[in-house]
Amino acid sequence: MKKTILYIVPLMLLPLFFSACSSDEIEPESVITVDNYRKNAFDRWLEENFRNPYNIDFKYRYEEIESDLDYYTVPADMEQSIKMAHLVKYLCVETYNEIAGIEFTRANFPKMFFLSGVWEYQNNGSIILGTAEGGKKILLLGINFLNDVLDGTYDNNYNVADGLNHYYIKTIHHEFVHILNQTQDYPASFRQVTPSSYVSDSQFSEPYRSNYLKRGFITAYAQTNDREDFAEMVSEYVTHDAKWWESRMKEAEAIYEDDPDQTQPGRTLIEQKLDIARAYMYTTWGIDIDVLRSTILRRQGNITSGKVDLTDLTINSGTN
C-alpha cells in the first residue's frame, strides 16, 4: 500500500518550478541509469555509508521503473542529491542509531530511497512530498529545490530549519512511522479518539482546512484517516520544539462547535492521541519520542549552523 503526505501549493511557487526546469544544464555525470555505468565518487560514498552498513540502496539516478508514472517526473540534480544523502544519513539513519541502536536501524529502516527532482502535483492544489511503499522503499521528491530550501529562499513562510522539516525531513519520519506500523500496528484505541471525524480527500477543503486543530488533529492532512493521523502525530511532534507544540495546542483549546459529536476541546483530543502514540513507540519499539525529538533538534541545529559538510564525499569522514 502506498502512503502519501500532501501539502497545499502556494501559487507563487509555480514560476520557480518552470524556471528551474528551463535553466537546468546537463551534468558531466549522467543522472539517468544506464547499463554498466562507471561508479563515481558519490556512488562509492553511498556504498560506504548506506549499502555496506545498512543494506540500503540509495538511488539518485533516474529509473523509470522506480518513478510514479501517474505524474510528470524529472531526474534529481546530482549536487542536491549529495546533500540530501547527507541529510538522510545524519538526521534520520544516525538519529535512530543513537537512540535505538544500529541493529534497530538495520532491521527496520527502509531498504531503498529513490530521489526525484520535482514534487508530484495533484489536481486539488496539493503536492505529494513523499511516499512509502510496502515497508521497503521511500520516494523523496522535490530534490531540485533543496538548495533553495537550504538558502531560505524557497518559501517565505519557513526559516531554513522549518523548511527542511516541512519539505523533506518530517516526510521521512512520517513514512518511517508507516513502516513501523506495518510491522507492528498501533492500538485500536487511537482510532477511537476521533472515530467519526476523518474526512478522506476533503481534508484541504473548508471548513476542515481551517479548523483541524479544534477538531482534534495536528495537521489538516491528519484528517485523512487514522493511519495518516498517527504518522502525522509522531512526525510533527519529533521534528518541532516544545514552544512550537504549545503554540499549536493553544490554538486547539476550543471545541469545534459545528460538530455535534465533539464534546472535548481539540487540545484534549490531540493530547490523548499523543499519549497513545508515545506509549506505542516506547513499549513496541523502545523509543522515547521525547528523546527522539531532542536528538533530531540537536542534529538539526548542527546542520543549520554549518557544522556538518553536506558535500563531503570522503570515505569514512565520520559525520556522526
Side-chain angles (χ1 to χ4, degrees), residues 53 68 128:
D68 190 336
I128 300 176

Side-chain angles (χ1 to χ4, degrees), residues 13-135:
L13 296 185
L14 295 181
L16 289 175
F17 168 74
F18 291 112
S19 63
C21 291
S22 63
S23 63
D24 280 349
E25 296 179 357
I26 297 176
E27 295 287 344
E29 296 280 358
S30 176
V31 293
I32 309 293
T33 294
V34 294
D35 292 336
N36 301 318
Y37 65 84
R38 184 174 59 186
K39 292 181 180 179
N40 57 37
F42 186 28
D43 295 318
R44 292 188 289 273
W45 186 90
L46 288 172
E47 284 190 356
E48 182 70 18
N49 290 278
F50 283 92
R51 184 182 293 276
N52 293 343
Y54 308 105
N55 196 29
I56 294 174
D57 193 5
F58 196 98
K59 295 187 175 185
Y60 68 96
R61 286 186 169 88
Y62 183 84
E63 296 182 36
E64 184 179 54
I65 194 172
E66 300 294 353
S67 304
D68 190 336
L69 300 182
D70 291 333
Y71 298 90
Y72 291 108
T73 57
V74 301
D77 172 73
M78 181 180 291
E79 174 202 347
Q80 296 178 86
S81 295
I82 292 171
K83 294 179 181 179
M84 180 53 66
H86 276 283
L87 290 170
V88 172
K89 175 177 180 283
Y90 188 77
L91 292 177
C92 301
V93 173
E94 292 176 347
T95 291
Y96 288 104
N97 287 354
E98 181 176 336
I99 67 162
I102 193 170
E103 293 306 322
F104 167 86
T105 309
R106 286 171 173 161
N108 296 290
F109 217 70
K111 297 308 178 186
M112 180 191 295
F113 282 83
F114 179 69
L115 308 187
S116 186
V118 298
W119 289 294
E120 295 175 350
Y121 293 76
Q122 297 201 308
N123 292 332
N124 65 356
S126 64
I127 61 175
I128 300 176
L129 298 178
T131 68
E133 298 180 16

Side-chain angles (χ1 to χ4, degrees), residues 177-193:
V177 171
H178 278 316
I179 289 170
L180 295 179
N181 294 161
Q182 290 167 17
T183 303
Q184 293 286 336
D185 204 1
Y186 50 84
S189 58
F190 185 90
R191 304 176 180 90
Q192 300 307 313
V193 178

Side-chain angles (χ1 to χ4, degrees), residues 2-284:
K2 178 179 290 187
K3 306 292 183 180
T4 60
I5 177 170
L6 310 177
Y7 174 73
I8 297 297
V9 183
L11 293 179
M12 61 180 289
L13 296 185
L14 295 181
L16 289 175
F17 168 74
F18 291 112
S19 63
C21 291
S22 63
S23 63
D24 280 349
E25 296 179 357
I26 297 176
E27 295 287 344
E29 296 280 358
S30 176
V31 293
I32 309 293
T33 294
V34 294
D35 292 336
N36 301 318
Y37 65 84
R38 184 174 59 186
K39 292 181 180 179
N40 57 37
F42 186 28
D43 295 318
R44 292 188 289 273
W45 186 90
L46 288 172
E47 284 190 356
E48 182 70 18
N49 290 278
F50 283 92
R51 184 182 293 276
N52 293 343
Y54 308 105
N55 196 29
I56 294 174
D57 193 5
F58 196 98
K59 295 187 175 185
Y60 68 96
R61 286 186 169 88
Y62 183 84
E63 296 182 36
E64 184 179 54
I65 194 172
E66 300 294 353
S67 304
D68 190 336
L69 300 182
D70 291 333
Y71 298 90
Y72 291 108
T73 57
V74 301
D77 172 73
M78 181 180 291
E79 174 202 347
Q80 296 178 86
S81 295
I82 292 171
K83 294 179 181 179
M84 180 53 66
H86 276 283
L87 290 170
V88 172
K89 175 177 180 283
Y90 188 77
L91 292 177
C92 301
V93 173
E94 292 176 347
T95 291
Y96 288 104
N97 287 354
E98 181 176 336
I99 67 162
I102 193 170
E103 293 306 322
F104 167 86
T105 309
R106 286 171 173 161
N108 296 290
F109 217 70
K111 297 308 178 186
M112 180 191 295
F113 282 83
F114 179 69
L115 308 187
S116 186
V118 298
W119 289 294
E120 295 175 350
Y121 293 76
Q122 297 201 308
N123 292 332
N124 65 356
S126 64
I127 61 175
I128 300 176
L129 298 178
T131 68
E133 298 180 16
K136 297 179 181 180
K137 168 186 171 182
I138 288 183
L139 171 63
L140 288 179
L141 303 163
I143 301 304
N144 294 353
F145 302 110
L146 177 58
N147 279 341
D148 292 331
V149 173
L150 287 168
D151 290 341
T153 58
Y154 183 75
D155 188 341
N156 292 330
N157 293 314
Y158 300 101
N159 59 31
V160 173
D162 290 340
L164 277 176
N165 274 331
H166 179 78
Y167 288 108
Y168 304 107
I169 304 307
K170 198 214 87 170
T171 299
I172 298 171
H173 290 288
H174 173 109
E175 301 300 350
F176 187 46
V177 171
H178 278 316
I179 289 170
L180 295 179
N181 294 161
Q182 290 167 17
T183 303
Q184 293 286 336
D185 204 1
Y186 50 84
S189 58
F190 185 90
R191 304 176 180 90
Q192 300 307 313
V193 178
T194 52
S196 60
S197 297
Y198 296 105
V199 296
S200 189
D201 292 334
S202 299
Q203 72 276 71
F204 294 122
S205 302
E206 296 298 354
Y208 310 117
R209 182 180 176 184
S210 299
N211 294 286
Y212 59 88
L213 288 165
K214 293 179 182 179
R215 299 184 72 244
F217 298 92
I218 194 60
T219 66
Y221 185 62
Q223 300 169 109
T224 307
N225 56 53
D226 60 274
R227 291 200 170 274
E228 299 304 331
D229 192 8
F230 191 94
E232 285 288 270
M233 181 65 60
V234 175
S235 59
E236 288 284 338
Y237 185 80
V238 301
T239 56
H240 291 93
D241 62 22
K243 181 179 179 180
W244 180 91
W245 187 266
E246 180 58 25
S247 71
R248 308 300 280 172
M249 294 303 98
K250 289 289 186 183
E251 293 184 48
E253 287 182 345
I255 292 178
Y256 181 60
E257 296 180 352
D258 288 347
D259 184 352
D261 295 328
Q262 185 174 336
T263 60
Q264 300 180 81
R267 177 172 189 151
T268 301
L269 299 173
I270 292 172
E271 289 177 342
Q272 288 176 10
K273 293 177 184 178
L274 180 61
D275 286 342
I276 296 169
R278 178 184 280 110
Y280 162 86
M281 292 295 289
Y282 188 76
T283 59
T284 306

